[in-house]
Each structure stands twice: as C-alpha cells, then as structure tokens.
Amino acid sequence: MSITIKDEAGIAGMRLAGRLASELLDYLTPHIRPGVTTNEIDRLAEEHTQHVLQAISAPLNYAPAGHKPYPKSICTSINHQVCHGIPNDKPLKKGDIVNVDVTVIKDGWHGDSSRMFEVGETSVAAKRLCRLTYEAMWRGIVMVRDGAHLGDIGHAIQTFAEGQGLSVVREFCGHGIGRKFHEDPQILHYGRPGTLERLQAGMTITIEPMLNTGKRDIKESGDGWTIVTRDRSLSAQWEHTVLVTPTGYEVLTLSAGSPPIPDFVHA
Ligand code: MF3
Ligand code: CO
Ligand code: CO
C-alpha cells in the first residue's frame, strides 16, 4: 500500500468523518461510569453510529492479515490493557482508567480517535498517566507540517514521555488514513529528528501514542486482539486524526466535547 494525498473533496470527506468520530466519543462520555459494561458502551456506539451519524463502525469485522475479524464496534482498553481491548460483560469499576477508541466510516472516509476516561475517583498515578499521555499526543501533533520528517514526531513524543518517567510502546503506531482504515506511512511514537519520510500537505495521519507507567514491553493477552503490558503496569493512549497543511496541521477529530487543547500548543 502507498501514501495517499487527499484533494479538496477528500479533505472535506475526512473533515466530516473526523468530526463524527469525535462526536461519537462526546455521546459516549456520560455513559462511561462505574457499573456500566463495555458491551453496553459498544452497543450504544453501534446504535449512535448507525442511526444518528448514519455512518459505519470500521472496527466491526475488521480483519487485517494474521487476525481473526474484530468482533465489536469499538475498542475498550482498561488499566494494563494497552490497545484493542474487546468489549465484554464485565462492569467498569471505580478507579479504572479506560481508553475508548472509535473509528467511523462516513461516505467512504475514515475518522479515528480515542480518549482516556477515568471511572469514578482514580489514583494519582493513573491521573498523571492520562494527563501526560494527552500532552505527549499534542507534542507530536505540533510537529506536523509539510516537509517535517516522521522522525520529528516520534522524537517529540519519546523525549517528552521518557522525560516524565513513562515508557513508549513500540509495536503499535499511528498510520495514514483515508478511504482505508490503515494506510501508509506508519507514524512511530519514538525516533530521531530528521529521519524517515517527509510529511506532505494533503496527507491525513493519526497520532496515537501508548505510554506505560512501567516498562514498554507488551504481549497479546490470548483473545487474539487485546494487548497488555508485560509487567501489568498501567497504560494510556489518546488518538487524533490530523491533516497535514502547507503551514502546519489541522486536527480533524475535534468536536464540542473534546478536552481542552494544552496551553503550549498556542504559545
Ligand atoms: N482504532 C485502532 C487504531 O487506532 C485500530 C483498531 S483495529 C480493531 O488504529 F480491529 F481492533 F478495531
Ligand atoms: Co488509529
Ligand atoms: Co483508533
């Protein structure tokens, strides 16, 4: 597969898909509380995507090479789960942190975003991980512009995360996105400035760092999808879909309920 550059029509399609993905997260937000099961959140997501957004859930039956089809409409990754957690009938409990990752297809275009949610009161360490992972994502986003190197994004995220004593998961990365869910290039969340390919205006990519409080090592949990930290330390992830512009970037997965953008972004 190769990199795709979106024309004005493609950018319009990506803007709409991105906004709808973010609005789906807004809709789910009040439901993410102690006692709710991740299957219930999944059901609400599927219903809202179909009937309100009039869109399609990209994860449902998604089957990349080497994987069985993904069985649900969203991913819900709790505590030491890094990504691709499969919704189930276990209720969320006070103190959990959960990543909800949604991808909608609207008019053939994909919008991909995830946020962290704190269930009831959470530990100081959990709150800090969620906050710093959000900042790490934005440290990567602000590097995006025509001509920047992919290594610039990875380096910004890695130096920030490691400087805070957090580790960066290496096995999963951001990606190009468009008419396909996962397109080239891969967007690594670690690296060296000035290395790897250059971004070009009209590319749409995701930035979705996964940071752990313990070691970076991960393993697959046995259900064919869910990834967990090897040392069972907490893991967090945030994700935006971003358009590369001639002078910078445009974040496509924003909506009324998006969390505030960090101050350093405007400085
Ligand atoms: N949304 C994930 C990403 O950010 C991919 C999930 S694939 C699934 O790339 F099959 F697990 F849904
Ligand atoms: Co993604
Ligand atoms: Co995603």
Side-chain angles (χ1 to χ4, degrees):
M1 199 200 305
S2 55
I3 292 172
T4 62
I5 302 297
K6 281 75 183 175
D7 61 12
E8 271 310 315
I11 291 169
M14 288 298 291
R15 281 195 180 113
L16 177 57
R19 179 167 59 78
L20 295 186
S22 191
E23 288 177 359
L24 175 56
L25 289 169
D26 293 353
Y27 167 74
L28 295 174
T29 297
H31 296 282
I32 303 168
R33 50 178 211 268
V36 74
T37 67
T38 45
N39 266 346
E40 176 66 5
I41 300 166
D42 178 76
R43 188 187 67 73
L44 290 164
E46 181 59 37
E47 191 177 81
H48 191 76
T49 299
Q50 283 185 30
H51 299 117
V52 178
L53 307 181
Q54 300 191 295
I56 295 166
S57 300
L60 188 60
N61 298 316
Y62 184 61
H67 283 271
K68 59 180 185 181
Y70 188 77
K72 299 284 176 172
S73 301
I74 61 173
C75 297
T76 52
S77 304
I78 302 164
N79 297 336
H80 70 294
Q81 296 177 344
V82 173
C83 62
H84 304 166
I86 303 175
N88 62 27
D89 278 321
K90 196 174 158 202
L92 294 176
K93 57 182 195 308
K94 267 182 248 164
D96 285 342
I97 56 170
V98 56
N99 174 275
V100 177
D101 191 343
V102 304
T103 309
V104 304
I105 310 171
K106 181 71 172 181
D107 305 329
W109 299 99
H110 289 72
D112 189 5
S113 187
S114 80
R115 299 181 194 161
M116 292 303 296
F117 297 89
E118 298 180 30
V119 181
E121 194 53 33
T122 60
S123 70
V124 170
K127 282 193 212 311
R128 178 175 186 271
L129 174 66
C130 293
R131 174 172 50 82
L132 293 176
T133 305
Y134 183 64
E135 177 161 350
M137 172 186 67
W138 277 102
R139 295 265 166 199
I141 290 172
V142 298
M143 302 309 292
V144 172
R145 61 174 173 78
D146 185 78
H149 287 268
L150 293 181
D152 303 344
I153 298 174
H155 183 255
I157 293 170
Q158 182 181 12
T159 52
F160 175 76
E162 293 178 354
Q164 300 289 341
L166 302 171
S167 64
V168 179
V169 171
R170 304 281 179 107
E171 292 82 354
F172 295 88
C173 55
H175 47 92
I177 182 167
R179 289 198 176 276
K180 295 206 174 103
F181 194 163
H182 294 104
E183 300 184 352
D184 283 338
Q186 294 193 10
I187 311 295
L188 303 181
H189 302 117
Y190 61 94
R192 304 305 312 164
T195 64
L196 304 176
E197 303 103 293
R198 285 177 186 271
L199 293 168
Q200 271 183 70
M203 286 171 62
T204 47
I205 60 171
T206 72
I207 298 180
E208 49 181 301
M210 284 141 275
L211 304 189
N212 304 342
T213 57
K215 295 200 170 75
R216 67 175 171 85
D217 309 75
I218 53 126
K219 62 178 183 183
E220 202 236 278
S221 70
D223 62 12
W225 278 102
T226 309
I227 304 300
V228 298
T229 56
R230 261 190 188 279
D231 62 8
R232 297 187 65 86
S233 65
L234 289 177
S235 189
Q237 180 178 29
W238 291 80
E239 178 176 22
H240 271 314
T241 299
V242 179
L243 168 69
V244 183
T245 70
T247 54
Y249 61 88
E250 179 181 329
V251 177
L252 302 181
T253 38
L254 292 172
S255 58
S258 296
I261 296 168
D263 286 339
F264 77 85
V265 173
H266 306 291

